[in-house]
Amino acid sequence: MTTTLRESARPRPTFSLQRSSALIALLALILFNVATTPNFLSLATLNINLTQTATIVIVGIGMTFVIATRGIDLSVGSLMAISGAIAPLLFLSPALGPGLGTALAFVLPVLATAALGAFNGLLVTRFAVQPIIATLVLFIAGRGVAQVISGGALVNFTQPSFGALGTARFLGIGVQVYLMLALLLLAAWVLRRTLFGRQVVAVGGNPEAARLAGVPVDRTRVLVYTLSGTLAGLAGLIVIAINSSSDSNLVGQNMELDAIAAVAVGGTALNGGRVTMLGTLLGALFIQLLRYTLLVKGVPDSVALIVKAAVIVVAVALQYRRRA
């Protein structure tokens, strides 16, 4: 699932030292928990970690595309909150009824966040705003928008059709895990086998060379931010379906940190040109298992945030060291 600029001419699997580092770190964390955490090797623990990992990976897929073009998207957590605020208004609306309301709740919130993602892309391309500044706008304003939509109140609901997105199981595993794997495989296929995937890698590798070669650089960048917004919206729906409630203050909180960490730890180059979806999966599993380990060992969540930030710093430092 790794794609480089060179592979754009002839796709073929490659061995990535960065990816193997993520795999080694993940295996070390698993072995540590096997030795020290009671009941770690149980279906319940597996389900907890895979369920939490699913939303990180889904958002991380979009983040991988964005980072592959030398961008970054800080707005994903706020977009999740917006999606999670819109959906209950639809499936709880007496005017729409449960059938139409639920159907619209799966579609309209995702379309709204996709449009906001496109807005990020337009800021980056049409107005030449740095990606970190462009997406900071919705990082700050987006959660405020979600609070305005929801009235700032916690919304509890019982809607079996919508809740199935977060609670349904197949062979004991949550449906969101299968959805995560399907999206991951689709994203890897797009990167390796489609013109759009090659354009993403080319833009990240050398934007000016890509432009001279006829690659629609601006359109590609707008599309990756739109994709990131779309997947963030979907992740927001999954989160509120799992919790059977929507809290615009909490949905998607710190998700941008988790997604960026997953991509960086997984081995996708932060300066573009090298992309690995398998690495994003390994990075997300490592980030989730690290958080789980810290929590079961009694480490406060505030300290866990510091540890995750440190992991990002180390991953970035390793990338620059290997590039030097």
Side-chain angles (χ1 to χ4, degrees):
M1 293 186 187
T2 302
T3 300
T4 67
L5 183 59
R6 190 175 181 179
E7 286 173 333
S8 63
R10 184 183 180 185
R12 59 188 172 85
T14 61
F15 178 79
S16 165
L17 180 61
Q18 183 93 16
R19 186 204 307 170
S20 64
S21 300
L23 180 59
I24 291 169
L26 176 63
L27 291 175
L29 205 50
I30 290 173
L31 291 175
F32 174 77
N33 278 285
V34 169
T36 65
T37 304
N39 302 316
F40 177 72
L41 294 177
S42 66
L43 183 59
T45 302
L46 179 66
N47 252 327
I48 290 171
N49 283 292
L50 286 180
T51 299
Q52 295 297 322
T53 302
T55 50
I56 299 174
V57 171
I58 289 172
V59 177
I61 291 170
M63 189 68 77
T64 302
F65 276 93
V66 171
I67 289 178
T69 60
R70 301 190 177 193
I72 197 163
D73 190 351
L74 298 181
S75 68
V76 289
S78 296
L79 296 185
M80 288 176 64
I82 291 174
S83 173
I86 295 175
L89 297 180
L90 297 169
F91 61 69
L92 294 177
S93 170
L96 295 175
L100 178 60
T102 301
L104 292 177
F106 284 117
V107 177
L108 294 185
V110 176
L111 290 178
T113 55
L116 292 171
F119 172 74
N120 284 334
L122 290 174
L123 286 180
V124 172
T125 55
R126 295 292 178 88
F127 298 97
V129 180
Q130 288 293 321
I132 194 170
I133 302 300
T135 56
L136 187 63
V137 174
L138 279 176
F139 171 80
I140 297 171
R143 195 163 294 279
V145 170
Q147 290 171 347
V148 169
I149 294 172
S150 66
L154 171 67
V155 180
N156 294 307
F157 55 83
T158 304
Q159 223 297 345
S161 299
F162 182 84
L165 183 62
T167 58
R169 296 281 186 273
F170 179 69
L171 299 177
I173 303 296
V175 292
Q176 64 272 31
V177 177
Y178 296 102
L179 180 59
M180 170 196 76
L181 293 174
L183 289 172
L184 192 73
L185 291 173
L186 178 61
W189 177 80
V190 167
L191 273 174
R192 291 183 56 80
R193 301 295 183 185
T194 69
L195 175 62
F196 174 68
R198 288 190 284 273
Q199 289 174 340
V200 167
V201 177
V203 170
N206 189 326
E208 290 309 314
R211 196 185 303 276
L212 291 173
V215 174
V217 175
D218 289 349
R219 187 179 71 186
T220 302
R221 282 177 166 159
V222 171
L223 286 175
V224 296
Y225 283 98
T226 304
L227 176 63
S228 180
T230 301
L231 294 175
L234 176 60
L237 298 184
I238 292 173
V239 169
I240 68 167
I242 290 173
N243 298 324
S244 297
S245 66
S246 175
D247 187 345
S248 56
N249 297 303
L250 297 178
V251 173
Q253 192 176 49
N254 298 320
M255 180 54 80
E256 59 283 343
L257 186 61
D258 286 342
I260 293 170
V263 176
V265 171
T268 292
L270 298 179
N271 56 349
R274 188 178 69 244
V275 195
T276 164
M277 284 296 167
L278 177 58
T280 298
L281 173 63
L282 294 175
L285 287 170
F286 174 78
I287 294 298
Q288 168 54 30
L289 192 55
L290 178 64
R291 177 166 55 191
Y292 172 85
T293 304
L294 293 173
L295 288 176
V296 297
K297 300 304 178 188
V299 177
D301 200 44
S302 55
V303 177
L305 285 174
I306 297 174
V307 173
K308 281 191 289 186
V311 167
I312 294 177
V313 172
V314 171
V316 172
L318 287 174
Q319 284 199 14
Y320 278 92
R321 183 178 178 183
R322 284 165 185 157
R323 195 181 60 172

